[in-house]
Amino acid sequence: RKELMRMARLGRVMCSVVVALAAGGVFTQSVRAEVRLPKVFSSHMVMQQDKPLIVWGWAQPNEKVTVEINGASQQAQANERGEWKAVLPAMKAGGPYTLTVGGSSKVQFEDVMIGEVWLCSGQSNMEMGVGVSKDAQKEIAAADYPGIRLLKVVKSWKPMPVDDIEGTWKVCLPKTVGDTGWGGFSACAYYFGRELHKKLGVAVGLIDSSWGGTCIQTWTPPEGFAAVPALKQEYELVQLGDPRTPAHQQRLEQVLQETERWLAAARKALTDRNLVPPMPTYPAE
């Protein structure tokens, strides 16, 4: 009983502290969304030369965000979902620069280069790393190229498009070339990027998003299937699998109606002590 009374007194004290803190403004009713960018933006990244520099991310709805790099500055305003995009003028190859994005909070990326950016994608021929290629140990030991930057996209299958990835930019060094993926960073991408870097004399950013054994259909946007009459069936399956499409919504409505009819029949069968009819199966597509 004494222990219960002690805990009750402690509870009253804690309640008084919480009320006092709330009255003093220590607690707020909502937490402001911090300025955030997708992980394709990070320190050591490369941005494409001679093209407008597009930077995007999220913030508080309707918040104004300022993006700055290499003396250029651009302001953007987030929409009602907190999404924003800023377009800065094209720049020549150079760096390192600091990319700063500020609003209610500030994000800063160091050692950002302007140069050539390449997306390297495909199956096992692209995924196979430097560590399992010819003269692997020799090549890895010699992979000291600060002007080459590597981004290995972590494999992740999702049924719906996503707005971010897992992975971060790294400076090309023996450790970073050999420590990820299947035997390290993509050998095909690395040798290609090294050749470009040597011939052009500019920073080269390589994004390795490859997955051995995958079929081309999984990498193709719906517009690709729609443009080829022979792929009409694949296009229809993609539409049925996408909950944003009318085809999916119509098919799901049909399934729900069938299920509701089955529920009514099953309840009647239960009351009448009869066999319950088979439940409708969810469509595979």
Side-chain angles (χ1 to χ4, degrees):
R1 182 176 178 181
K2 289 182 179 179
E3 180 64 18
L4 288 173
M5 291 177 67
R6 188 187 70 81
M7 292 182 69
R9 286 196 299 271
L10 179 60
R12 286 195 295 271
V13 171
M14 289 301 296
C15 183
S16 298
V17 171
V18 170
V19 170
L21 289 173
V26 176
F27 294 144
T28 58
Q29 291 183 346
S30 63
V31 179
R32 287 184 62 82
E34 293 187 346
V35 174
R36 181 171 64 90
L37 284 78
K39 296 181 185 67
V40 73
F41 295 95
S42 75
S43 294
H44 314 302
M45 70 178 293
V46 181
M47 303 183 78
Q48 179 60 44
Q49 65 173 339
D50 300 325
K51 296 285 185 181
L53 302 180
I54 303 175
V55 182
W56 70 94
W58 303 270
Q60 190 79 1
N62 302 313
E63 180 179 359
K64 290 184 179 179
V65 176
T66 302
V67 181
E68 299 175 317
I69 184 173
N70 188 26
S73 176
Q74 181 66 44
Q75 191 175 76
Q77 184 168 352
N79 61 20
E80 66 278 1
R81 295 184 299 275
E83 303 163 338
W84 57 266
K85 181 175 74 172
V87 182
L88 288 90
M91 298 182 186
K92 295 295 182 183
Y97 303 119
T98 298
L99 174 65
T100 303
V101 182
S104 58
S105 62
K106 185 166 75 171
V107 180
Q108 194 163 284
F109 301 125
E110 306 291 345
D111 189 32
V112 175
M113 305 295 292
I114 307 293
E116 282 293 307
V117 183
W118 289 81
L119 172 61
C120 309
S121 188
Q123 299 177 304
S124 54
N125 287 344
M126 182 63 75
E127 184 182 358
M128 185 183 72
V130 179
V132 289
S133 62
K134 183 178 179 181
D135 299 327
Q137 296 308 311
K138 177 183 175 182
E139 293 290 354
I140 289 175
D144 189 357
Y145 292 96
I148 300 177
R149 309 298 172 85
L150 313 173
L151 173 57
K152 175 66 177 176
V153 179
V154 177
K155 293 179 179 178
S156 178
W157 184 91
K158 294 289 190 298
M160 292 280 290
V162 296
D163 54 17
D164 207 349
I165 62 166
E166 290 299 325
T168 188
W169 286 94
K170 298 178 181 180
V171 177
C172 180
L173 298 169
K175 179 181 179 181
T176 55
V177 160
D179 71 348
T180 58
W182 170 28
F185 196 82
S186 164
C188 179
Y190 167 67
Y191 293 132
F192 167 75
R194 187 178 68 180
E195 188 76 5
L196 277 183
H197 179 58
K198 288 180 176 180
K199 289 192 173 183
L200 300 179
V202 302
V204 174
L206 302 170
I207 301 174
D208 176 10
S209 181
S210 52
W211 198 328
T214 51
C215 58
I216 189 62
Q217 287 90 331
T218 57
W219 295 89
T220 307
E223 294 81 3
F225 295 113
V228 182
L231 300 179
K232 182 176 183 293
Q233 183 177 0
E234 281 79 0
Y235 177 71
E236 291 173 351
L237 287 173
V238 170
Q239 296 297 300
L240 285 169
D242 186 343
R244 300 166 299 178
T245 65
H248 179 98
Q249 294 170 358
Q250 182 179 358
R251 182 72 177 97
L252 185 57
E253 179 63 33
Q254 177 187 347
V255 172
L256 290 175
Q257 290 175 2
E258 292 172 355
T259 304
E260 287 166 355
R261 286 194 293 269
W262 174 83
L263 277 172
R267 291 189 186 283
K268 187 175 186 306
L270 181 63
T271 301
D272 297 342
R273 297 190 178 187
N274 289 330
L275 289 174
V276 177
M279 186 177 184
T281 56
Y282 193 77
E285 66 269 20

